[in-house]
Each structure stands twice: as C-alpha cells, then as structure tokens.
Amino acid sequence: MVLATALYRGSHLVAGVVNVSQHQRDRPIQWLLLGTAIASTALVCTAARRRGRVTRRAVGLDALVVGCLLPFGAYAWGGAREPETIAWTMLLGGSASALAAVAFGVRGTAIAVALLVSTHLVGYLLVHADAAVTATHLNALVFSAVVARVLAWYLCRQGARLDAANHRALTAEAQRARYAERITHYSALHDTVLATLTAIARGGVDANTAVMRQRCAREAAYLRRLVEHTDGETPDSDIRAALEESVRAAEALGLRVTARYHEPPAVPGDIALIVAQAATEALNNVRCHAGTDHAYLTATGDAGRLVVTVVDRGRGFDAGDLTGGLGLDRSVHTRMRAIGGLASVDAAPGEGVRVELRWPS
C-alpha cells in the first residue's frame, strides 16, 4: 500500500509539473506550491520507509497542507482564477484521500474525506467551475479513499490467510519431525535396550559380567535422556539427533557420557552434522587422553546461538599446546571455522578440559 499510494501521488505530481511548466511557468508562487507538494510527499514516503507503513502524523499533515490548503494558496497568491489553472492542485486531493484511507481507521478516513470534499467544493466554487467538473472531481475524491480502503483490507485479509497457512504448514512439519524422531528412538530401543533385555531373559548372557553391566549402564543413560526429552518440547531434531549419535558412538567405545539438552535452537542439518562431528572428536579426546571414563555433554541456546560443551574431569593439559595427537586444532577448530562457528578450549593440567562449540560465532 505504501508503494501503491506513492505511485498514485507520483502521477499527480507529474501532472502538476506539466501543468505549471506549460501554463504558469512565469509564476514563481506556482513553483513554490509544487515544491511544497513534493516536500510533503517526500516526508510521507520517508516516514513510511522508516517504519514500514504510512504514519498517521505525516499523512494528516499531508492531507491538511496538500489536500486542503494548497488549492487556496494557488487561488490567493498563485493567480489561479480559472478551473484549468487550479486543477493540478485539486488533483493532489485524490492521492491525499487515498493516503488517509490507508493510514486512518474508518472514522478517521471519513473525517479526512469530508474535509477534503468541503475544501475542494469551495475551491471550485471560487473559480466558477462547471457543476459537472466539480461533481466528477468530488466523486474521484471519495472513491480514491474507497478503493484504497478496500485494497488495504484485501491485502490484510490475504496476509492473515497466508500467515495461517504458514502456521499450519509449520505445525504439520513439527509433527512430522516429532514422528520421525520417535521412530528413530523406537528403532534405537529395539536395537539396544530391547535386544539386551531379550538376551538376559533368554539366559543367553550372564548379566553379572563387567561387559554386560557396562552395556546396561550405557543403555540406561540413553533411556534417561529419552525420558527427559518430552513430546511437548520444541523439536530441535537435527542437532539433538546428530549429537545423540555422537554420544552413543562414544558410549559404544566405553566412555560414559552424561548428556543434557536444554532447548538448543533448531539449526540446518548440514550445520548439525558438522557440530556433532566436532563434538565426537572432543569426546574421542576425552576417551583417549583425559585419563577418565566419564564426560559431560550439554547443548543449549544462548541468544539464538547453538552452544555445545564437552567437559571432563581428567588430567587436563596445557591449553597453549593443542598438538601431540589431541586432534582439537584440526578436527574441532577447523570444522567450526568452516561453518562460521567458533571452538574454544579451556584446560589446565590436573583440572580437566572444557571444549565449547558455538554456532554462529
């Protein structure tokens, strides 16, 4: 509507420039009045561009100055005594009426149009315009507001319908994501917990062996994470699923991982994959170098950023030296930089290691 009304006003200004340059070029006051109309239009458009909509104050000032006072200025000081010489100032009233219909409510629009019709009627009576010309112009004033009002209403209604359709689509996509995640968990439960319980129930394995106890501990940790992630949470499926794969891979190699997911933001699938790969390397570093069998992984959101931390309470190392087979520089920092993220390492001998992954940086 901002663009439509600006183009409508532009057509009227072009007509004004043509009229003044052809018939009243020797009257400086006419050029001054035309400049006033251009300045008022620029004010309305600048305010609309700044706020994303036409503003009532700017439109009200435009309706008063351009729509109501300009014709009387042309008559009183510009020497416009005939309908042809005052017509270009009257023409601007149509776009002022349309602007008012977009900016104001029904009551405000009715008041603005009534004021414009009254002043323009007086203006045409002053120059003794033909009744048919006057009636045609007043009709254009009224229907400029009606057309603008109807068009604004239609666009708002279509926008509301589009918003509703987008909401339904997003809701359906969220439901599909939750369903896909549930199926993934069901498959994982079938291949892990259910398989372990079935083997124990059939007596095929000794539940008291160290290997079986470790396996049961890993699967209990997985069940705990699954229970903590309720269906009511917003699906952050890509990053959560990718990190869960990293955790399960580390657990399969004998590392105990306590994982917590505190509403991490949704991220694109390729970003989730790279972050999970960096987290996998951090977990591998714990398993191979930390001197402990327990790590802590946390995924959360911080001001719209994804933040993943991997912490251990192992032997630690000098944070100034990331060489010697730790793999953090190549596998973690490089991966995160490639996707516009950031990896930081906080470590000290005897105090463990904290690796933080942020996306975006």
Side-chain angles (χ1 to χ4, degrees):
M1 289 308 302
V2 171
L3 179 61
T5 50
L7 291 174
Y8 191 32
R9 170 58 61 84
S11 69
H12 293 169
L13 289 174
V14 169
V17 170
V18 172
N19 186 289
V20 173
S21 60
Q22 287 185 348
H23 305 294
Q24 304 173 73
R25 67 178 65 181
D26 57 340
R27 295 180 179 272
I29 191 66
Q30 292 285 350
W31 292 106
L32 179 61
L33 293 174
L34 183 59
T36 301
I38 294 173
S40 179
T41 303
L43 175 64
V44 172
C45 292
T46 301
R49 181 178 180 182
R50 192 172 295 167
R51 300 196 178 187
R53 59 180 176 81
V54 288
T55 58
R56 293 184 177 182
R57 182 175 298 180
V59 171
L61 182 64
D62 180 82
L64 181 63
V65 174
V66 176
C68 298
L69 298 181
L70 208 66
F72 293 108
Y75 176 83
W77 303 305
R81 296 293 187 271
E82 297 81 24
E84 294 78 11
T85 56
I86 203 174
W88 74 268
T89 61
M90 295 295 195
L91 191 62
L92 291 169
S95 51
S97 177
L99 281 167
V102 175
F104 302 133
V106 175
R107 182 178 178 182
T109 300
I111 294 174
V113 172
L115 185 61
L116 288 168
V117 168
S118 301
T119 55
H120 283 227
L121 176 61
V122 172
Y124 269 131
L125 290 176
L126 289 175
V127 297
H128 306 289
D130 185 77
V133 173
T134 302
T136 300
H137 176 72
L138 298 182
N139 179 72
L141 277 180
V142 173
F143 276 90
S144 290
V146 171
V147 170
R149 188 74 186 175
V150 170
L151 182 57
W153 167 81
Y154 176 77
L155 289 177
C156 288
R157 188 186 68 167
Q158 294 302 105
R161 288 181 173 180
L162 181 60
D163 288 343
N166 286 337
H167 178 72
R168 290 194 297 270
L170 289 173
T171 300
E173 183 63 30
Q175 290 175 345
R176 284 193 294 270
R178 284 194 292 269
Y179 178 76
E181 187 177 17
R182 189 177 296 115
I183 293 300
T184 299
H185 287 312
Y186 288 165
S187 299
L189 288 172
H190 177 273
D191 297 338
T192 57
V193 179
L194 183 58
T196 301
L197 292 176
T198 301
I200 294 173
R202 290 177 177 175
V205 296
D206 185 358
N208 294 318
T209 63
V211 173
M212 185 55 64
R213 287 199 300 270
Q214 290 175 358
R215 179 171 178 172
C216 290
R218 290 196 303 269
E219 294 174 2
Y222 173 67
L223 278 176
R224 190 177 300 110
R225 293 193 297 270
L226 183 60
V227 169
E228 290 174 352
H229 182 59
T230 63
D231 285 340
E233 296 179 15
T234 301
D236 42 67
S237 53
D238 285 342
I239 186 60
R240 181 183 172 86
L243 290 174
E244 192 62 35
E245 285 294 325
S246 299
V247 169
R248 288 166 57 191
E251 289 178 333
L253 295 175
L255 182 67
R256 285 194 303 128
V257 181
T258 299
R260 294 289 184 270
Y261 305 97
H262 302 293
E263 298 184 2
V267 299
D270 55 339
I271 300 297
L273 178 60
I274 298 299
V275 173
Q277 289 173 348
T280 297
E281 183 57 36
L283 291 171
N284 287 339
N285 183 70
V286 175
R287 183 176 57 83
C288 296
H289 303 288
T292 179
D293 65 348
H294 195 182
Y296 303 85
L297 182 144
T298 303
T300 185
D302 179 16
R305 293 184 177 93
L306 170 66
V307 181
V308 178
T309 58
V310 176
V311 178
D312 70 75
R313 298 172 182 171
R315 63 171 62 99
F317 62 92
D318 185 355
D321 182 14
L322 296 182
T323 59
L326 294 176
L328 292 177
D329 186 44
R330 183 186 72 254
S331 298
V332 177
H333 288 279
T334 302
R335 279 192 172 104
M336 294 303 296
R337 282 196 297 265
I339 59 172
L342 177 68
S344 60
V345 178
D346 183 13
E351 297 183 7
V353 180
R354 182 179 188 273
V355 178
E356 181 177 274
L357 311 174
R358 282 181 172 267
W359 185 86
S361 61

